[in-house]
Each structure stands twice: as structure tokens, then as C-alpha cells.
Amino acid sequence: MNDPAHFVETLEYRRFAEFCEACRRYRYVGLCYGAPGVGKTLSARHYARWDTIRDVNIYTIPDEELKTLLATGQPDTLLYTVSVTSTPKSIEADLAQARNHLFQIVREPILREHKAMLDQQRDRYEEARDAYFADGDWFNLFGEQKPPPEAPAYDEQARLCVQREKAIADPTTLVLVDEADRLKMAGLETLRDSFDRSQIGLILIGMPGIEKRLARYPQFYSRIGFVHEFRPLSATEVRRLLAASWTPPGVRLPPLDEETTAAIVRMTGGNFRLLGRLLAQTERIVMINELPQVTRQAVEAARESLVIGHTG
């Protein structure tokens, strides 16, 4: 489900995307919370295109791939996941590295354009110089020596290139911080300082209750402009997904009848992660028993082999 081709833009994702745009536009701190498995992290990764942008190697990516990446929009959102061992120093360093990565992606096409321009000038000069010395007749009809080809003004061109590169602004306008529940006071202060100095949008993503914990830190809490609750899928949306034969990547299931669909809707409670796991396990049950279609009994058997906690 991390594959962009399999991502489903549900109503909850569209609400989340609108929330992100508001925080970006108004340069606010936003707070997003929701139960585990409802799709918070998946939505953040898709919104930021992080699975694609994170793995970009600017030194090896072909020109066409880089052009295609930037044609879909300038990378302006980064996703930072707080680790269990995060410290203020590591948070600051990781954010700076991620922001620099986005900047390098935006800057790379211009660097390649400048290099191609200077290489073209050098090639033309070397071609003219080789022709001059290969000719052997360096004098014109009046006995005057023909001037050799003039070397290109690299210094002036390099200066113009540097000016253009300096004009490139930092593309980062929004930072999504996942697993924000792991942040301690010092980590929150690091984020607050970064937010105050750069004035970019900032969104903390965590579990229900994080809003109450942050309320104990008035200096940070006073900067929160928007709060968004990421809710489970509605029964209607789960039915729509199943009617469209949606399954997690690599899972193949026959069409479902109404009784089986109702059972899946009831068991998953709109939890996207649980829905994917239940369908994957159902496929295994269907294959083992060589069933021609998915039945309610197969779904119930799949459910018994899963650990199902709170889903709403």
C-alpha cells in the first residue's frame, strides 16, 4: 500500500491534504491525530511523495527521470519520522539534511544546464582550435597572421551561473513530523525554534491524546493554528473500495458478495491497515482451501488468525 499506484485517495486523505495546504499557506503549526491504522503515515508519505523524493540520488538520476519528477510539482514538503532515540541535536541535523536534499533536487537541473552550456562552449573552442592548427596556413593573402580562435569567457559565464544558483530559494514550505508522540520537551523546543526562524508550515502527527499533552507546553501550544482528527473510513467508503475490487499490492481475490462485504465492513471498522491485513489473510485461506469464491466463513477464519485491537 506504499506504492503510489495502489494508493487510494479516500475522503479522509482529501481532508488531510486540505489541512496540510492550510498549514502551508498560513505558515501555521498543525496537529493531526488519529487511531493507529487509519492511514495517517501512509497519507503523509503520499502527500509529500516521500517514497520517491527520499530515494532520489541527484548524482545518478537520469535527466529524463529528474525532469519527470519535477514536472509533477516542485518537492516542497518533507516528512520526518521521530525515532525512539531522537535528541534535539539529531532532530536539528536530520531536518537540515532533509531540507538540503529537497534544495539539491530543485537546484540540480540548473547545475546540469550550466555544465552543459560551459561544456558546449569548450567543445566549440577546441574544435575551432584543432581546425586552426590542422590548417597549417596561418597567414592570409596580405601576409598577416590569422588570429587563433578566442577562448570562451568562462569567468563571466561562471559568475552568471553562480548568480542564478544563488537566486534559488529553499523549496521547503511544509514539514510533516510523524510519530510526534515520541517528542519530549527538548525536541518540541527544537521544532519550535526551527519553526520560528524559518516560518514554514509544521504539522505534528500522532495518536489521540497528543493534543492534551501539548497543552501542557503553552509556548508551543499557542502556535498551533489547526487541529485535524484523522478518522477511520466510513462504511460507505469501505464498500466502495471492495466493490471496485481494491486489494493490497500482491493480493488477488475473486469478487465479493454482499454478505461477505458486510462482514468485512463490520470486522475492520474502517481501519485501513486492518482492512489490508484481513484481505491478505483471506487470500491465504481461499488458496489453502481452493475456494472458488470468497465466503463469509473464509473471512471469519481469516479474522481468527489476526490480532485485532481497537479499530475505531
Side-chain angles (χ1 to χ4, degrees), residues 87-300:
T87 63
K89 186 175 181 179
S90 69
I91 292 173
E92 189 173 12
D94 291 344
L95 288 177
Q97 183 179 15
R99 292 184 67 171
N100 183 64
H101 180 61
L102 263 61
F103 179 74
Q104 294 297 334
I105 292 175
V106 173
R107 181 171 173 255
E108 184 63 18
I110 296 177
L111 293 182
R112 294 187 182 187
E113 179 185 335
H114 291 169
K115 182 179 183 302
M117 180 177 63
L118 294 175
D119 288 347
Q120 187 179 41
Q121 284 189 343
R122 184 188 66 247
D123 292 343
R124 283 202 300 261
Y125 165 70
E126 292 179 349
E127 183 179 347
R129 183 194 60 186
D130 293 344
Y132 174 81
F133 287 109
D135 185 11
D137 184 7
W138 301 335
F139 297 89
N140 59 23
L141 296 176
F142 301 100
E144 299 171 337
Q145 185 177 3
K146 297 178 183 178
E150 184 178 352
Y154 284 117
D155 292 344
E156 178 63 18
Q157 289 295 338
R159 185 181 66 81
L160 295 175
C161 291
V162 169
Q163 286 182 348
R164 187 181 177 193
E165 291 166 16
K166 286 183 176 179
I168 304 173
D170 183 350
T172 303
T173 56
L174 182 66
V175 175
L176 307 178
V177 180
D178 196 18
E179 302 290 354
D181 308 86
R182 297 171 177 171
L183 287 168
K184 295 181 173 57
M185 183 61 187
L188 289 172
E189 283 298 303
T190 301
L191 291 178
R192 181 174 72 87
D193 180 66
S194 175
F195 170 77
D196 289 344
R197 284 187 289 108
S198 58
Q199 281 299 295
I200 61 176
L202 174 66
I203 294 178
L204 303 185
I205 303 173
M207 298 284 288
I210 188 174
E211 71 282 6
K212 297 177 182 178
R213 186 167 71 89
L214 290 178
R216 298 198 294 267
Y217 308 120
Q219 280 189 308
F220 191 95
Y221 195 69
S222 63
R223 287 165 170 78
I224 296 177
F226 297 114
V227 177
H228 173 74
E229 180 183 3
F230 205 108
R231 298 174 299 199
L233 297 175
S234 66
T236 301
E237 284 203 287
V238 176
R239 288 179 178 276
R240 181 173 62 84
L241 290 176
L242 297 177
S245 299
W246 177 87
T247 57
V251 175
R252 297 290 181 270
L253 287 173
L256 309 175
D257 59 27
E258 177 57 32
E259 183 184 22
T260 305
T261 299
I264 294 174
V265 171
R266 184 183 69 257
M267 293 175 189
T268 58
N271 187 291
F272 200 72
R273 181 185 300 161
L274 181 55
L275 176 62
R277 291 168 53 203
L278 182 63
L279 293 180
Q281 191 69 4
T282 299
E283 180 196 43
R284 188 179 74 89
I285 298 297
V286 170
M287 292 177 60
I288 290 175
N289 294 278
E290 299 181 350
L291 300 176
Q293 62 182 15
V294 182
T295 63
R296 180 177 57 81
Q297 289 77 14
V299 173
E300 290 175 348

Side-chain angles (χ1 to χ4, degrees), residues 2-3 7 16 40-52 54 79 81 176 178:
N2 298 331
D3 184 353
F7 187 85
F16 173 77
K40 302 184 300 297
T41 298
L42 198 60
S43 295
R45 288 167 64 176
H46 181 76
Y47 177 81
R49 297 186 293 161
W50 197 242
D51 290 335
T52 299
R54 176 195 56 198
L79 174 63
T81 302
L176 307 178
D178 196 18

